[in-house]
Amino acid sequence: MTKKLIPTLLTGALLATGCSFIPKLDKLAAPVPASYPVATEAGALAAADIPWQQFFTDQRLQQVIGLALENNRDLRVAVLNIDKARAQYQIQRAAQFPEFGVAASVSRAPSTTTGQYVNTYMAGLSMPSWEIDFWGRIGSLKEQALAQYLATEEGRKAAQISLVASVANAWLGLQADEELLAISRRTLHTREESIKLAKLRLDTGVASELDYRQAQSLTEDARATLARQTRQRELDINALTLLVGQTVPPELLGSLQGKKLSDLPALADVPAGLPSDLLLRRPDVRQAEQSMIAANASIGAARAAFFPNITLTASAGFVNPELSDLFKSGSKAFSLTPSLYLPIFNAGRNRANLESAKVSEQIAAAQYEKAIQTAFREVADALVSRETLQDQLAAQQRQLEAENVRYKLSDLRYTNGVASYLDLLDAQRSLFALEQAVVQARLTQLQNQVNLYKVLGGGWTEPATPPTAAAATPDAAAQ
C-alpha cells in the first residue's frame, strides 16, 4: 500500500497543476504609419533574407567581418548571455518537479517511557519540501524565464547585425581615409612647387611678398590637413581593431592603399518592403516583444501568491535506535507530510508585488512600441538619405569637374599675367575642398546603404528550414 501511495499522490499533484493566472496579452497595434514617407519598391528577397556574404561582395571585407564574428568580445558576451538565460530557464523548469535524494541523520532525545536519552538513527530516500503548483506560480515563472531566454537570443542576433554594419562602415571609412590622404599628399606636393615658384618670382621682383605669403599659408594648410588625416586613419584602424577583436592582418589593410571608394565592389541593393515586414524581421523589435511577454508572465506569478501555498514532504527508509540494526526489515519507515499555508497578513507585500508586475508589463509594452517607432524612423531616415545622397554626390562631382577646369584656367591666366595670384590661390583652395567633399559624400552614401541593410534586419539570416516549436526551446537544446 505504501509503495503505491507515493506515485499516486505525485501523479495527482502533477495533474492538478496547470492553472495559470497569466493575463491574456493582446497584440498591440503598431504605432507607426502604414507606409514610409518615401516610396519603396517590393522585392522578392527581403534584406533580412540576404546573407551578409552576398550583400558585401568585397572579399577582403568578408574576411574582416568573419574575423569580427569570431573574436568580437561584445558578441561573445551576447552568446554567453544566451547560455546564462538558458540555465536560468532550466532552474525555473526544475522547480516544477519534486527533488529526491539520500538522507541520513542521528538524533538524541529523552525516551517518553524511561526518561533516559536514546539515539535514533535514520537513513533512506527523502523528498524535501516540494511546492505543488496548483495556482501556476512556478509555471508562470518558467514562462517568464523562457521569454527572457528568447529575448536574449534575439538580442544576440541584434548584436551581430550591429557588429557586421559597424565593421563594414569602419572598413569604408578606412578606404576613404586612404583616398583623402592621397589627395592631401598630391595637393601638398603641388603647393610646395607653387611656393618655390612664388619665392623665385619674389626674388626676381616679379611678384610681391603678399603672393609668397599666401602661397606659404596654403602650403602649411595642406600640411596640417595631411597630419590630421594621418592621425584620423590611425584612430580608425584602432577602432576597427577593437571591433574585430584582434589585429587586422597587414595584408588586408595594405590592400586599401592606392584605391578609391569608387574602386570598391558595389554593395547589393535591398528593397525596403513594408513596415509590417520590418516588425517581423528586426531582432531588436522581437526582443522587446519577448521582454513584454516575460513581464506579462510575472503578473501570473504575482497573482498566484494570493492563494494557498501547498507543499509536500516525504521520506522512505530505515529508522532504528541501534545503528547495527538500522537496515533490518523491522526498521522500515515511511512518512508523507502535506502542508498548506495561506497568507493572511504580510504588510501588503503580495499586493505591492502584483502592482509592481503590472507596472513592469506596462513599461515593457511602452518599450516595445518605442522599439517599433525607432525601427520605423531609422528605415525612413535611411530611405530619405538614399533618395538625396545620390543627387548630392552627382552635383558635387559636376561641381568638381567645373572647379578643376577653373583651376587650370586660373593657372594659365596667372602665368600669362592676365589674372592675379589671389585668383589662382582661391581656385586651388576650392579644388582641394571639393575633392575632399566628394570623397566624404561618396562615403556617406555607401555607409547609408550599409545602414539601410542593417535597419531592415540584414546581417542575420534565419536557417533555411525553421526548427519546430519544441526544438526551438531550451528544453530541446539541453537534450
Side-chain angles (χ1 to χ4, degrees), residues 36-188:
Y36 296 114
V38 177
T40 59
E41 71 283 2
L45 199 61
D49 294 324
I50 301 177
W52 60 264
Q53 297 91 337
Q54 295 180 15
F55 181 78
F56 302 106
T57 55
D58 189 343
Q59 294 184 356
R60 301 167 303 168
L61 177 55
Q62 290 178 1
Q63 295 181 46
V64 176
I65 293 176
L67 291 173
L69 294 178
E70 292 178 2
N71 301 288
N72 181 267
R73 299 309 189 270
D74 289 335
L75 187 60
R76 188 174 298 178
V77 169
V79 174
L80 293 174
N81 282 334
I82 295 177
D83 295 337
K84 179 180 178 181
R86 182 186 295 113
Q88 292 293 336
Y89 170 78
Q90 293 292 345
I91 292 173
Q92 290 297 339
R93 180 176 179 271
Q96 289 185 308
F97 302 94
E99 177 183 348
F100 296 96
V102 177
S105 65
V106 58
S107 61
R108 182 175 178 82
S111 172
T112 57
T113 56
T114 64
Q116 297 180 347
Y117 281 86
V118 296
N119 297 327
T120 302
Y121 300 91
M122 188 279 293
L125 295 176
S126 175
M127 183 184 75
S129 179
W130 170 49
E131 179 180 348
I132 302 175
D133 197 23
F134 277 109
W135 320 114
R137 188 187 73 86
I138 299 177
S140 297
L141 294 177
K142 188 195 77 169
E143 292 300 320
Q144 178 187 17
L146 176 60
Q148 289 172 340
Y149 162 78
L150 296 176
T152 307
E153 172 65 26
E154 297 297 338
R156 197 265 295 191
K157 296 177 184 178
Q160 176 173 324
I161 288 175
S162 178
L163 174 61
V164 169
S166 296
V167 171
N169 284 329
W171 179 262
L172 294 172
L174 272 177
Q175 183 64 82
D177 291 340
E178 292 291 345
E179 188 171 354
L180 290 172
L181 281 171
I183 294 173
S184 296
R185 293 190 186 103
R186 184 178 67 249
T187 302
L188 178 59

Side-chain angles (χ1 to χ4, degrees), residues 81-399:
N81 282 334
I82 295 177
D83 295 337
K84 179 180 178 181
R86 182 186 295 113
Q88 292 293 336
Y89 170 78
Q90 293 292 345
I91 292 173
Q92 290 297 339
R93 180 176 179 271
Q96 289 185 308
F97 302 94
E99 177 183 348
F100 296 96
V102 177
S105 65
V106 58
S107 61
R108 182 175 178 82
S111 172
T112 57
T113 56
T114 64
Q116 297 180 347
Y117 281 86
V118 296
N119 297 327
T120 302
Y121 300 91
M122 188 279 293
L125 295 176
S126 175
M127 183 184 75
S129 179
W130 170 49
E131 179 180 348
I132 302 175
D133 197 23
F134 277 109
W135 320 114
R137 188 187 73 86
I138 299 177
S140 297
L141 294 177
K142 188 195 77 169
E143 292 300 320
Q144 178 187 17
L146 176 60
Q148 289 172 340
Y149 162 78
L150 296 176
T152 307
E153 172 65 26
E154 297 297 338
R156 197 265 295 191
K157 296 177 184 178
Q160 176 173 324
I161 288 175
S162 178
L163 174 61
V164 169
S166 296
V167 171
N169 284 329
W171 179 262
L172 294 172
L174 272 177
Q175 183 64 82
D177 291 340
E178 292 291 345
E179 188 171 354
L180 290 172
L181 281 171
I183 294 173
S184 296
R185 293 190 186 103
R186 184 178 67 249
T187 302
L188 178 59
H189 176 73
T190 301
R191 291 184 178 178
E192 286 176 341
E193 294 298 321
S194 296
I195 199 174
K196 291 179 182 179
L197 179 61
K199 183 68 167 70
L200 179 61
R201 293 170 66 89
L202 174 64
D203 294 340
T204 57
V206 178
S208 65
E209 185 177 358
L210 177 60
D211 292 345
Y212 172 72
R213 294 304 179 185
Q214 288 174 332
Q216 185 182 35
S217 175
L218 282 182
T219 302
E220 296 306 323
D221 178 69
R223 199 185 311 278
T225 301
L226 178 61
R228 183 177 67 252
Q229 291 172 348
T230 302
R231 179 177 67 255
Q232 186 60 50
R233 179 183 182 275
E234 295 303 316
L235 294 177
D236 289 344
I237 290 177
N238 293 339
L240 181 61
T241 301
L242 179 61
L243 288 171
V244 174
Q246 67 169 58
T247 302
V248 181
E251 61 272 15
L252 291 177
L253 292 178
S255 66
L256 295 173
Q257 298 178 0
K259 295 187 178 180
K260 301 179 180 180
L261 284 172
S262 56
D263 297 331
L264 296 178
L267 302 175
D269 195 17
V270 292
L274 299 174
S276 57
D277 300 328
L278 172 68
L279 306 184
L280 298 175
R281 307 310 298 268
R282 285 241 326 201
D284 59 333
V285 174
R286 295 194 304 226
Q287 180 184 13
E289 182 180 16
Q290 290 297 332
S291 297
M292 182 175 61
I293 294 173
N296 188 64
S298 68
I299 296 178
R303 287 176 173 176
F306 286 89
F307 293 85
N309 180 280
I310 302 173
T311 58
L312 192 65
T313 303
S315 63
F318 302 90
V319 177
N320 200 294
E322 298 294 333
L323 182 61
S324 58
D325 298 333
L326 179 60
F327 296 102
K328 292 184 176 181
S329 59
S331 301
K332 293 180 180 179
F334 169 77
S335 67
L336 180 67
T337 309
S339 63
L340 182 146
Y341 172 76
L342 177 63
I344 297 177
F345 175 76
N346 54 19
R349 181 177 59 193
N350 287 348
R351 188 168 299 279
N353 284 334
L354 177 58
E355 183 64 25
S356 175
K358 289 181 178 179
V359 173
S360 296
E361 192 274 336
Q362 294 172 1
I363 292 174
Q367 291 173 336
Y368 172 63
E369 292 178 332
K370 178 64 180 297
I372 294 175
Q373 292 175 334
T374 301
F376 183 88
R377 184 243 170 130
E378 289 175 348
V379 175
D381 287 350
L383 290 174
V384 170
S385 298
R386 185 175 67 174
E387 288 286 313
T388 57
L389 282 172
Q390 182 62 40
D391 295 338
Q392 176 186 343
L393 179 58
Q396 287 185 318
Q397 286 177 327
R398 292 191 298 268
Q399 184 182 7

